[in-house]
Amino acid sequence: DTAVSQTPKYLVTQMGNDKSIKCEQNLGHDTMYWYKQDSKKFLKIMFSYNNKELIINETVPNRFSPKSPDKAHLNLHINSLELGDSAVYFCASAPNSGEAYNEQFFGPGTRLTVL
Amino acid sequence: AQTVTQSQPEMSVQEAETVTLSCTYDTSENNYYLFWYKQPPSRQMILVIRQEAYKQQNATENRFSVNFQKAAKSFSLKISDSQLGDTAMYFCAFMKHGDTNAGKSTFGDGTTLTVKP
C-alpha cells in the first residue's frame, strides 16, 4: 500500500514544453506539499495545500501551477519548461495542519530532466 | 525567518562505530519541532526522529538519538552501531508550532553520511 505516490518517476522533455506531475496520498492527511531538490541536493519547499486551499507559495515562477482537485491529490503543472527546472520534485503529505506535530510523508520523487 | 544549518556536507564512519551529525538553527520562536529525515540512494525520504522543543528529554529511536540543546539552538543526531544501510543523506528540519502557514518546514542543506565496511 503506497502512502504517497507520484507519477511519473522519471520525466525527460524538451525546453518550452508543458508537463504535469501527479501526486496522490491515501493517508487521509489534510496537508500536501511540493518540494524541489536541485542537483546539489538542496531541498526547498514550493507549495503547501491544506484541504485543497493554497497555504504556502514560496517564490516560485508563475510557470509552476499546483492544482488540488481534492485533499488526496496535489498535482504540479509546469509551463514553458526551462533547463533550470531540471531537478527531483517531491510530493509530501502531513496530518491536520492545525496540529504542529506534522510528520511529513514523502513520495518517491519525480526526476525531471529538461533538454 | 528560520534558518537551519548543517555544517558537515559529508561524513564517513566505520561500520559498528558511532557518528554524530550536527545541526543548528536560528529562530525567535519558543515552541517548535525539530526533525531528522534520511534520504538513502533510493531517493525515498523518511523520518528518522523528531523532537518537540517543549520536551527537555532527548528523543531516541533505537540506534538513533538526538542531543537537543535549546539554549544553544543545537540539534545533533547520534547514530550508534552504524550499519551499511545508514548510508544516506540526512536532513535536519525545523517547524514552528501553530504557524499560520501551517506545516511549513525549513530544511538544512543535508549531510551525506557514508558507512564503510
Side-chain angles (χ1 to χ4, degrees), chain A residues 47-62:
Chain A
F47 301 102
S48 166
Y49 269 72
N50 181 37
N51 282 320
K52 303 193 298 177
E53 291 188 21
L54 180 65
I55 301 297
I56 297 171
N57 183 351
E58 293 295 295
T59 306
V60 177
N62 292 336

Side-chain angles (χ1 to χ4, degrees), chain B:
Chain B
Q2 282 66 233
T3 59
V4 177
T5 302
Q6 294 179 245
S7 59
Q8 306 149 314
E10 295 181 358
M11 293 189 73
S12 63
V13 63
Q14 291 296 130
E15 198 174 4
E17 296 292 311
T18 295
V19 64
T20 299
L21 280 57
S22 68
C23 172
T24 59
Y25 56 94
D26 186 24
T27 184
S28 58
E29 300 293 324
N30 187 52
N31 201 1
Y32 49 86
Y33 298 83
L34 296 162
F35 307 85
W36 278 99
Y37 285 89
K38 169 185 176 181
Q39 185 180 35
S42 66
R43 221 169 63 192
Q44 182 70 54
M45 189 92 69
I46 57 175
L47 179 71
V48 175
I49 198 166
R50 62 185 162 202
Q51 174 81 41
E52 293 88 341
Y54 63 86
K55 290 186 178 178
Q56 293 189 347
Q57 187 173 5
N58 289 326
T60 61
E61 285 288 341
N62 301 315
R63 297 181 297 107
F64 298 87
S65 62
V66 298
N67 183 5
F68 173 48
Q69 301 290 329
K70 191 172 184 179
K73 295 179 183 175
S74 171
F75 183 61
S76 60
L77 174 68
K78 185 172 83 170
I79 306 175
S80 304
D81 186 25
S82 297
Q83 300 176 359
L84 296 178
D86 295 334
T87 292
M89 192 155 190
Y90 288 81
F91 291 93
C92 179
F94 172 100
M95 182 183 290
K96 285 195 306 184
H97 174 76
D99 193 345
T100 51
N101 289 329
K104 178 178 178 180
S105 291
T106 302
F107 283 78
D109 289 340
T111 296
T112 300
L113 175 68
T114 302
V115 179
K116 298 179 178 178

